[in-house]
Amino acid sequence: MSMVDTINKKRLGKVLSREELEEAFNGYFQGNIPDYQMSSLLMAICLRGMTDQETLDLTDIFIRSGEVLDLSEVDGITVDKHSTGGVGDKTTLIVASIVASLGLKVPKMSGRGLGHTGGTIDKLESIPGFRVNLSREEFIHQLNTIGVAIISQTAHLAPLDKKVYALRDVTGTVESIPLIASSIMSKKIASGADKIVLDVKVGKGALLKTQEEAIEISRLMKKIGHHYQKDVDTMITYMDIPLGTSIGNALEILEVMRILSNEENNYLVALSKALAAKMVQLGLGISIQDASIRVEDSLKSGKAYKKFMELIEAQGGDISGLRVSSHTQDILSTKSGHVIDMDAYRFGKLSLDLGGGRKTKEDPIDPKVGIVLKKKIGDDVKVGDVLCTLYLREDAPFIQEDLTSYYTFQEEVEPPKSVDDSVEIV
Ligand code: URA
């Protein structure tokens, strides 16, 4: 079947066979199908969806485009974690440090930013010298010595997903349940861990906007995992407001360090502890209560912080060289009231526009830019208060937009007038 026939078939909502999917996706991988035709097929999939069988087939095609990492030389139980993507989501760095400090092995293959959401690899690359590409031998050696390694999706593992992922990012074809499920699960299966915890994010700042979508993708990813005999668990977590207080690559590394030093206490910390506990429960086969106690202990004792520093050093990073932009702009509120909501999506887009993410596949990113949130849900704000501080590119002009509209306020209610005041004098 020609690619045009395959596109038309999906456009009409029909089911593609394994052979048709192979022809299209393997053809794209080999360079025989151009970007514009693959974009069109991806858009048809976004609009028409895929059956479970098509999603399983596509996952398998992604996996078979590269090698499956053999982790049998790693001593101990391997536990992986993945998030479906959010704004300010630095949980991987926190969670991997905690879990590895408790004796489990965390082989982590992470992605770059996608759409308005950030990526762990871009965050790590803000640390000068940090190597996100390790050879297989280095990866295994590091897991056996310090228990954790975080690498970029290598050219060897699910390389077809990598190519498709980059195209989706710039063609409006990110937000599709079967495409997200097959993309994530192909990488998880190819990276070879025994056990996998999936953080399924839902809300305004997430790729999935409704609880129904989150439940559906959890079901689908568990089904794919079980097909490959993997122990998979999922947690559906909220992503309506940015996670934590920083958005932007270097700024988020600094925030991770503060959290691992027990200097912060917010929803991001609670979420990271819950995810880490789930990984420890799954990995060690203990109760969630016992797992939670171990997680607390790792943080309180500084073991998790130490593990994060070991990870950076092992991968060549020099944390003393981490820099954020010195060109900053305080955004002042033009309203007063009680903050009841924040638009995570717009904050994610703003960080991308400041230079923290990519608009085309080739765009370089600026690790030093981003946003530090000074006011969050629950805070009272007066006109003129600093809502957030922007870290701009060194040569960028100040932002003129009134960012107050990114916040929803419960406006200050005028105190009721006295009865006498309300009497109308004719
Ligand atoms: N994360 C991935 O790895 N793939 C997606 O498609 C979305 C989020």
Side-chain angles (χ1 to χ4, degrees):
M1 192 182 259
S2 78
M3 184 65 178
V4 177
D5 291 337
T6 304
I7 295 168
N8 277 328
K9 192 168 171 186
K10 186 41 82 184
R11 183 174 57 77
L12 295 171
K14 304 221 170 92
V15 176
L16 299 178
S17 67
R18 167 93 192 200
E19 292 66 37
E20 286 159 348
L21 286 167
E22 272 175 0
E23 223 180 315
F25 282 88
N26 288 339
Y28 178 62
F29 188 43
Q30 285 145 14
N32 302 329
I33 304 285
D35 275 0
Y36 57 83
Q37 283 191 316
M38 181 47 72
S39 310
S40 181
L41 179 60
L42 291 169
M43 185 56 84
I45 292 174
C46 277
L47 299 175
R48 291 303 202 156
M50 291 210 286
T51 62
D52 283 7
Q53 189 55 50
E54 285 175 296
T55 312
L56 272 168
D57 285 336
L58 184 59
T59 310
D60 205 53
I61 293 167
F62 283 159
I63 295 171
R64 285 169 192 269
S65 68
E67 52 187 58
V68 174
L69 209 57
D70 176 6
L71 294 179
S72 56
E73 289 163 48
V74 177
D75 277 341
I77 299 154
T78 50
V79 195
D80 196 354
K81 166 265 166 198
H82 201 90
S83 149
T84 54
V87 178
D89 185 358
K90 67 276 299 170
T91 48
T92 287
L93 299 171
I94 303 165
V95 161
S97 306
I98 298 172
V99 175
S101 79
L102 294 172
L104 288 160
K105 302 289 153 102
V106 187
K108 187 76 190 79
M109 198 169 85
S110 286
R112 297 188 179 278
L114 188 66
H116 65 282
T117 65
T120 301
I121 290 302
D122 292 333
K123 299 182 211 297
L124 284 171
E125 275 188 341
S126 67
I127 305 170
F130 194 98
R131 293 172 57 216
V132 298
N133 298 310
L134 300 182
S135 69
R136 183 183 167 277
E137 290 67 34
E138 288 173 318
F139 189 60
I140 305 262
H141 175 73
Q142 193 171 311
L143 287 167
N144 278 333
T145 47
I146 66 164
V148 55
I150 305 182
I151 57 169
S152 174
Q153 188 179 347
T154 72
H156 307 296
L157 301 190
L160 172 53
D161 167 65
K162 185 174 183 169
K163 190 169 174 182
V164 172
Y165 186 107
L167 185 66
R168 285 170 55 213
D169 191 21
V170 291
T171 55
T173 52
V174 169
E175 277 115 329
S176 148
I177 289 179
L179 290 179
I180 298 174
S182 51
S183 165
I184 291 178
M185 291 312 289
S186 63
K187 286 177 290 214
K188 295 299 99 186
I189 308 295
S191 20
D194 307 319
K195 312 202 178 239
I196 305 163
V197 171
L198 300 164
D199 176 12
V200 179
K201 301 227 161 287
V202 60
K204 286 197 289 286
L207 298 177
L208 305 162
K209 304 289 186 252
T210 67
Q211 188 133 8
E212 290 70 37
E213 287 174 324
I215 292 170
E216 170 57 9
I217 204 167
S218 299
R219 178 198 67 77
L220 194 53
M221 292 197 292
K222 278 189 190 166
K223 182 166 179 177
I224 300 171
H226 295 155
H227 180 79
Y228 291 92
Q229 286 88 45
K230 299 287 179 188
D231 217 350
V232 180
D233 209 345
T234 59
M235 259 178 85
I236 297 179
T237 68
Y238 287 97
M239 185 68 247
D240 277 327
I241 61 167
L243 267 179
T245 52
S246 302
I247 309 164
N249 297 300
L251 288 165
E252 290 189 48
I253 295 288
L254 291 176
E255 187 178 2
V256 168
M257 289 165 64
R258 288 198 303 277
I259 289 174
L260 294 175
S261 308
N262 302 295
E263 288 168 25
E264 304 259 355
N265 185 15
N266 53 31
Y267 174 66
L268 168 63
V269 177
L271 169 69
S272 304
K273 286 181 186 172
L275 281 168
K278 195 153 236 359
M279 288 170 77
V280 172
Q281 177 195 23
L282 202 64
L284 297 181
I286 59 177
S287 71
I288 193 73
Q289 288 80 5
D290 286 347
S292 303
I293 292 170
R294 293 194 197 194
V295 166
E296 288 289 348
D297 175 62
S298 157
L299 279 165
K300 292 270 150 56
S301 64
K303 278 195 228 157
Y305 181 86
K306 194 161 157 264
K307 191 55 74 181
F308 186 51
M309 290 301 129
E310 278 173 29
L311 166 75
I312 293 172
E313 199 187 322
Q315 292 189 222
D318 172 13
I319 197 68
S320 67
L322 187 77
R323 295 286 177 273
V324 298
S325 173
S326 54
H327 179 33
T328 59
Q329 176 184 5
D330 282 340
I331 299 295
L332 308 184
S333 182
T334 53
K335 279 191 183 169
S336 62
H338 188 69
V339 180
I340 53 168
D341 202 2
M342 296 165 72
D343 194 328
Y345 176 77
R346 291 176 78 192
F347 277 108
K349 282 274 293 154
L350 175 64
S351 173
L352 192 143
D353 290 341
L354 296 179
R358 295 176 192 79
K359 290 185 184 154
T360 72
K361 283 196 281 179
E362 290 77 25
D363 273 356
I365 61 168
D366 187 334
K368 300 203 214 94
V369 304
I371 308 160
V372 172
L373 303 167
K374 297 287 167 68
K375 296 287 182 193
K376 294 205 73 181
I377 286 188
D379 289 340
D380 288 319
V381 173
K382 298 254 168 299
V383 172
D385 281 356
V386 178
L387 287 174
C388 56
T389 301
L390 307 184
Y391 288 71
L392 305 167
R393 274 191 207 277
E394 301 295 346
D395 56 352
F398 281 154
I399 301 284
Q400 298 303 326
E401 186 187 353
D402 181 4
L403 304 185
T404 309
S405 64
Y406 289 24
Y407 290 78
T408 307
F409 296 92
Q410 194 171 46
E411 313 247 342
E412 263 174 358
V413 183
E414 291 259 312
K417 290 184 175 160
S418 74
V419 176
D420 281 347
D421 283 345
S422 65
V423 175
E424 210 177 339
I425 303 174
V426 183

